[in-house]
């Protein structure tokens, strides 16, 4: 008998912790016949498609060791009197208090009811049924065991639900705190494994809210899918994974298999997430209900991350726009500062030109006023001094011409600076213009005893504005007359060179110092040389010449061997202007 007991215990204890499709029942009794009878009575027993896995222990001490190792026992068929009169009752306390197992169902069987009265035992000990061995027939054993197993199954589901809800509640704040999509995905896989209480591998795939785009973004992977972590998010899915994920996106619902399950989530922002989970067991109804609840809460967490990432991108874009706008404002401020500086200079130039104009206009006006007063006095003389009056009249006429010339120069400069200035392009005979201007200025040269000669070909044509070119040539010749000494020679020349066509005016005047040569064409420039006949100067003539030359695509030049050596002023036009004629 003892040998039989020793053979049974090792075989039962060393069985796997849980066999799929079985109910684990432990028979704890010191009578081997009870074990054999129980096995015989329950032979072929099944409930919900699951058979029995019956374990045996022949003392309370053996039962303690067995129950400490096997935590999957659903029902205990427990004897009261074994190595002591209350060994079974003490074992009940061990299970409930030390092992803290409240789901296992305990059916107390005793052959000596007097030692453990039913009412006292039911009240004092957490058991689920009390039977005398004499009344526990095969049918009653079947009934009691079935009721106990159903109660155990319901309690296990409640316990799993409670544990799952605790995990979901505990996980919610942590998942909502994630600000990275990848970290949230990793946290979800970890929580799913904890929720199911199994080792599982998984992969999370995101599809943005564009249903026409079949490209998937892998957020994370674990277990056999861990290699996706090192890949680029847009890397294609493996051939064995892609159809499963694509089907779930199409069906838009969870799918549970024997080992692999796919979970579908859709966020309020329109993004879709599929999780492929490989577990080491099939998922129970409780597992599926918990998964459904868990994923419904996860959509909020994913939405939070999506919105956070969108906000981050918006912030980056806003910061970039702020930087760009700040740079634009800095550039605008610089432009304003430059314009303010230009305005200051313009205001200074305005003051200068007003002073210059006032000074230059005052002199001839004073002459005119003085001469007219003398004429008025002469008209009262008898006889009237006609010759003297003619002289005074000539002085008035000369001063009036100077005023007219100065006003014409100011008006020309004002028009030249207008923003809408335009040239009238037409064929122009430059040599003919120079000839006309020479003849118009010859009386002024004769007045100062100067010789004005012209070396002009018959015709030199170019495309330009005849009036503006006439104005430029007139300024060059009148300048030469104004600054040349009495009796000096002035020469006007028009010629065509290899690259340019030019009109040059040479004089024997005071020439140009190096300082004057650098600013001779500037506006309102007063050079060291002074008009030799007391003429006025606005400092605008040569700047007008330069502007007219540039408007025609050409340039103005000044050459001088030095002070006292005379100078040559010219306007030069590229021969392309000539070819356009």
């Amino acid at each position: 008998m003892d040998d039989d007991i020793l053979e049974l215990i090792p075989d039962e204890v060393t069985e796997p912790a849980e066999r799929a499709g079985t109910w684990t029942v432990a028979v704890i009794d010191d009578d081997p016949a009870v074990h054999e009878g129980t096995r015989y009575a329950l032979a072929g027993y099944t409930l919900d498609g699951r058979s029995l896995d019956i374990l045996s222990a022949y003392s309370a001490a053996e039962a303690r060791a067995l129950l400490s190792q096997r935590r999957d026992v659903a029902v205990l068929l427990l004897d009261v009197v074994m190595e002591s009169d209350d060994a079974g009752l003490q074992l009940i306390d061990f299970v409930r208090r030390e092992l803290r197992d409240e789901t296992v169902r305990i059916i107390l069987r005793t052959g000596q009811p007097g030692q453990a009265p039913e009412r006292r035992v039911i009240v004092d000990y957490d058991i689920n049924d009390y039977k005398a061995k004499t009344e526990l027939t095969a049918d009653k054993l079947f009934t009691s065991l079935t009721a106990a197993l159903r109660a155990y199954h319901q309690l296990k589901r409640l316990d799993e639900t409670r544990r799952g809800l605790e995990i979901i509640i505990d996980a919610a704040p942590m998942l909502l705190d994630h600000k990275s999509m990848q970290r949230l995905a990793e946290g979800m896989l970890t929580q799913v494994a904890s929720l199911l209480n199994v080792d599982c591998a998984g992969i999370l795939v995101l599809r943005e809210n564009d249903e026409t785009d079949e490209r998937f973004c892998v957020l994370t992977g674990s277990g056999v899918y861990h290699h996706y972590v090192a890949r680029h998010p847009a890397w294609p899915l493996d051939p064995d994974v892609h159809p499963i994920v694509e089907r779930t996106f199409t069906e838009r619902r969870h799918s549970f298999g024997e080992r692999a399950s796919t979970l579908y989530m859709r966020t309020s922002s329109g993004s879709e997430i599929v999780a492929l989970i490989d577990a080491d067991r099939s998922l129970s109804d409780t597992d599926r209900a918990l998964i459904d609840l868990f994923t419904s809460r996860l959509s909020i967490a994913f939405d939070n991350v999506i919105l956070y990432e969108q906000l981050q991108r918006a912030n980056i874009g806003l910061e970039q726009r702020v930087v760009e706008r700040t740079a634009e404002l800095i550039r605008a401020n610089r432009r304003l500062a430059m314009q303010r500086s230009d305005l200051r200079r313009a205001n200074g130039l305005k003051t200068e030109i007003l002073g210059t104009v006032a000074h230059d206009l005052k002199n001839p006006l004073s002459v005119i006023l003085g001469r007219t007063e003398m004429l008025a006095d002469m008209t009262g003389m008898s006889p009237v001094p006609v010759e003297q009056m003619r002289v005074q009249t000539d002085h008035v006429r000369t001063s009036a011409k100077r005023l007219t010339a100065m006003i014409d120069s100011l008006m020309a400069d004002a028009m030249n600076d207008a923003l809408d200035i335009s040239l009238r392009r037409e064929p122009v005979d430059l040599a003919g213009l120079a000839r006309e201007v020479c003849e118009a200025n010859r009386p002024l040269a004769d007045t100062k005893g100067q010789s004005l000669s012209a070396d002009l070909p018959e015709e030199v044509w170019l495309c330009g504005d005849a009036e503006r070119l006439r104005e430029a040539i007139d300024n060059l010749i009148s300048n030469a007359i104004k600054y040349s000494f009495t009796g000096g020679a002035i020469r006007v020349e028009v010629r065509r060179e290899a690259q340019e066509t030019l009109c040059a005016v040479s004089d024997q005047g005071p020439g140009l110092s190096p300082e004057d040569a650098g600013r001779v064409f500037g506006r309102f420039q007063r050079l060291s040389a002074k008009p030799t006949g007391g003429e006025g100067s606005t400092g605008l003539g040569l700047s007008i010449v330069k502007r007219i030359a540039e408007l025609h695509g050409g340039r103005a030049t000044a050459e001088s061997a030095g002070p006292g050596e005379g100078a040559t002023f010219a306007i030069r036009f590229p021969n392309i202007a000539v070819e356009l004629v």
Side-chain angles (χ1 to χ4, degrees):
M1 182 69 66
D2 292 339
D3 292 339
D4 291 339
I5 295 173
L6 291 174
E7 290 176 359
L8 289 173
I9 291 176
D11 291 341
E12 299 291 348
V13 171
T14 56
E15 287 182 358
E18 181 180 0
R19 294 204 300 263
T22 62
W23 300 100
T24 304
V25 177
V27 179
I28 303 171
D29 200 301
D30 59 351
D31 186 353
V34 173
H35 291 264
E36 294 174 4
T38 302
R39 289 177 182 274
Y40 179 78
L42 298 176
Y45 178 94
T46 60
L47 178 64
D48 296 335
R50 298 167 64 180
S51 60
L52 294 180
D53 179 17
I54 301 177
L55 308 177
S56 294
Y58 296 89
S59 67
E62 290 181 15
R64 288 171 186 263
L66 175 65
L67 295 175
S68 296
Q69 295 178 2
R70 298 290 298 267
R71 305 306 300 272
D72 61 328
V73 177
V75 178
L76 291 182
L77 298 175
L78 176 62
D79 188 13
V80 176
V81 180
M82 288 179 286
E83 62 262 46
S84 64
D85 292 344
D86 61 348
L89 299 178
Q90 293 181 19
L91 183 62
I92 294 171
D93 286 338
F94 172 77
V95 171
R96 299 301 192 202
R97 296 178 182 177
E98 294 189 28
L99 297 183
R100 297 183 180 277
D101 190 345
E102 297 179 355
T103 58
V104 62
R105 303 293 86 191
I106 300 176
I107 300 176
L108 199 62
R109 304 190 297 184
T110 180
Q112 304 174 31
Q115 291 187 350
E118 182 174 353
R119 290 189 178 184
R120 184 179 66 82
V121 171
I122 288 292
V123 172
D124 295 343
Y125 296 92
D126 184 6
I127 65 173
N128 307 104
D129 204 352
Y130 186 97
K131 300 292 183 182
K133 290 181 180 180
T134 55
E135 66 172 325
L136 198 60
T137 63
D139 289 340
K140 288 186 176 181
L141 178 60
F142 179 92
T143 301
S144 298
L145 181 61
T146 300
L149 288 175
R150 291 192 185 281
Y152 170 79
H153 182 58
Q154 292 173 357
L155 288 174
K156 286 294 289 184
R157 290 189 61 180
L158 289 174
D159 184 62
E160 290 173 357
T161 302
R162 175 189 58 78
R163 185 187 64 83
L165 290 174
E166 289 177 351
I167 291 174
I168 293 173
I169 292 171
D170 292 340
M174 181 270 293
L175 293 175
L176 289 174
D177 282 343
H178 283 306
K179 299 297 186 293
S180 162
M181 186 68 77
Q182 183 177 359
R183 293 295 302 276
L184 175 59
E186 293 170 354
M188 175 189 169
L189 289 183
T190 301
Q191 294 302 325
V192 167
S194 176
L195 184 65
L196 301 178
N197 199 22
V198 294
D199 291 330
C200 64
I203 181 175
L204 254 73
V205 181
L206 170 70
R207 184 171 71 177
E208 297 290 348
N209 54 355
D210 182 3
E211 298 180 6
T212 62
D213 191 354
E214 297 183 354
R215 291 176 300 176
F216 304 138
C217 175
V218 178
L219 299 178
T220 190
S222 65
V224 295
Y225 305 108
H226 185 71
H227 60 283
Y228 282 101
V229 176
R231 293 183 179 181
H232 188 276
W235 192 273
L237 295 173
D238 293 341
D240 57 333
V241 175
H242 190 278
I244 301 173
V245 173
E246 189 172 32
R247 184 176 64 252
T248 305
F249 276 123
T250 302
E251 296 177 352
R252 294 183 174 179
R253 61 181 178 84
H254 300 328
S255 176
F256 299 99
E258 285 298 321
R259 298 182 67 88
S261 301
T262 53
L263 313 179
Y264 174 81
M265 288 163 283
R266 184 179 179 87
T267 69
S268 60
S269 62
S271 297
E272 297 174 290
I273 300 101
V274 165
L276 175 59
I277 306 295
D278 286 351
D280 57 6
R281 63 172 174 82
S282 60
L283 303 185
S284 65
D285 292 340
T286 303
D287 294 332
R288 297 179 185 187
L290 290 171
I291 285 293
D292 192 55
L293 177 63
F294 182 57
T295 53
S296 68
R297 299 296 182 270
L298 266 179
S299 62
I300 300 174
F302 278 106
D303 256 338
N304 285 346
V305 173
I306 291 171
L307 292 174
Y308 178 80
E309 290 182 346
Q310 290 175 350
L311 180 61
Q312 288 294 99
R313 289 193 294 270
N315 284 339
I316 293 173
L318 180 60
E319 290 174 359
Q320 181 63 30
R321 287 195 294 273
V322 168
V323 170
E324 293 173 356
R325 184 56 180 161
T326 302
E328 290 177 2
L329 290 174
I330 291 173
R331 289 193 295 269
N333 286 335
R334 289 175 179 170
R335 288 195 297 270
L336 287 174
M338 293 174 63
Q339 291 171 2
R340 187 165 56 248
S341 178
D342 291 342
L343 288 174
R344 288 199 188 100
R345 286 196 298 271
N347 190 51
L349 290 173
K350 179 197 71 174
T351 303
E352 180 181 349
I353 191 173
L354 287 176
T356 301
V357 170
H359 178 270
D360 289 346
L361 292 179
K362 185 178 180 180
N363 288 339
L365 283 174
S366 298
V367 172
I368 292 172
L369 289 174
R371 301 298 179 179
T372 54
E373 289 177 359
M374 292 175 65
L375 286 172
D377 292 341
M378 290 179 183
T379 57
M381 294 181 181
S382 183
V384 176
V386 176
E387 189 61 32
Q388 294 181 16
M389 292 178 69
R390 185 181 292 111
V391 172
Q392 300 303 325
T393 302
D394 289 341
H395 283 299
V396 170
R397 184 183 297 110
T398 301
S399 297
K401 287 182 177 179
R402 287 174 57 196
L403 281 175
T404 301
M406 293 171 63
I407 292 172
D408 287 344
S409 295
L410 290 173
M411 292 179 64
D413 186 65
M415 292 182 63
N416 195 44
D417 284 344
L419 294 176
D420 58 351
I421 188 172
S422 60
L423 297 179
R424 184 175 62 181
R425 300 281 184 175
E426 60 183 359
V428 178
D429 178 9
L430 189 63
L433 277 182
R435 189 176 293 109
E436 292 176 9
V437 175
C438 281
E439 293 305 318
N441 282 276
R442 193 173 299 281
L444 294 176
D446 292 342
T447 301
K448 297 181 69 172
Q450 299 167 340
S451 64
L452 178 58
S453 62
D455 183 7
L456 304 173
E458 187 67 26
E459 293 179 342
V460 174
W461 292 90
L462 55 79
C463 184
D465 188 318
E467 293 305 318
R468 290 305 176 96
L469 291 173
R470 186 192 307 274
E471 181 182 357
I473 297 171
D474 183 71
N475 280 343
L476 292 180
I477 295 176
S478 62
N479 241 32
I481 295 171
K482 185 185 299 183
Y483 287 95
S484 293
F485 300 110
T486 301
I490 300 169
R491 183 169 178 269
V492 180
E493 180 183 11
V494 173
R495 69 175 183 272
R496 182 172 294 168
E497 297 180 342
Q499 301 295 329
E500 294 177 315
T501 296
L502 62 86
C503 176
V505 178
S506 303
D507 62 49
Q508 295 177 341
L512 297 174
S513 65
E515 181 182 1
D516 289 342
R519 55 193 181 94
V520 66
F521 290 106
R523 297 178 64 186
F524 308 113
Q525 295 295 328
R526 295 302 182 87
L527 306 182
S528 57
K530 303 298 179 184
T532 57
E535 299 94 339
S537 173
T538 61
L540 296 172
L542 291 179
S543 67
I544 294 173
V545 171
K546 177 175 180 290
R547 180 68 181 277
I548 292 174
E550 290 173 347
L551 288 173
H552 283 80
R555 59 195 179 102
T557 61
E559 300 174 356
S560 175
E565 299 295 329
T568 299
F569 295 86
I571 48 176
R572 300 171 178 267
F573 307 99
N575 283 338
I576 184 65
V578 179
E579 295 169 2
L580 291 174
V581 177

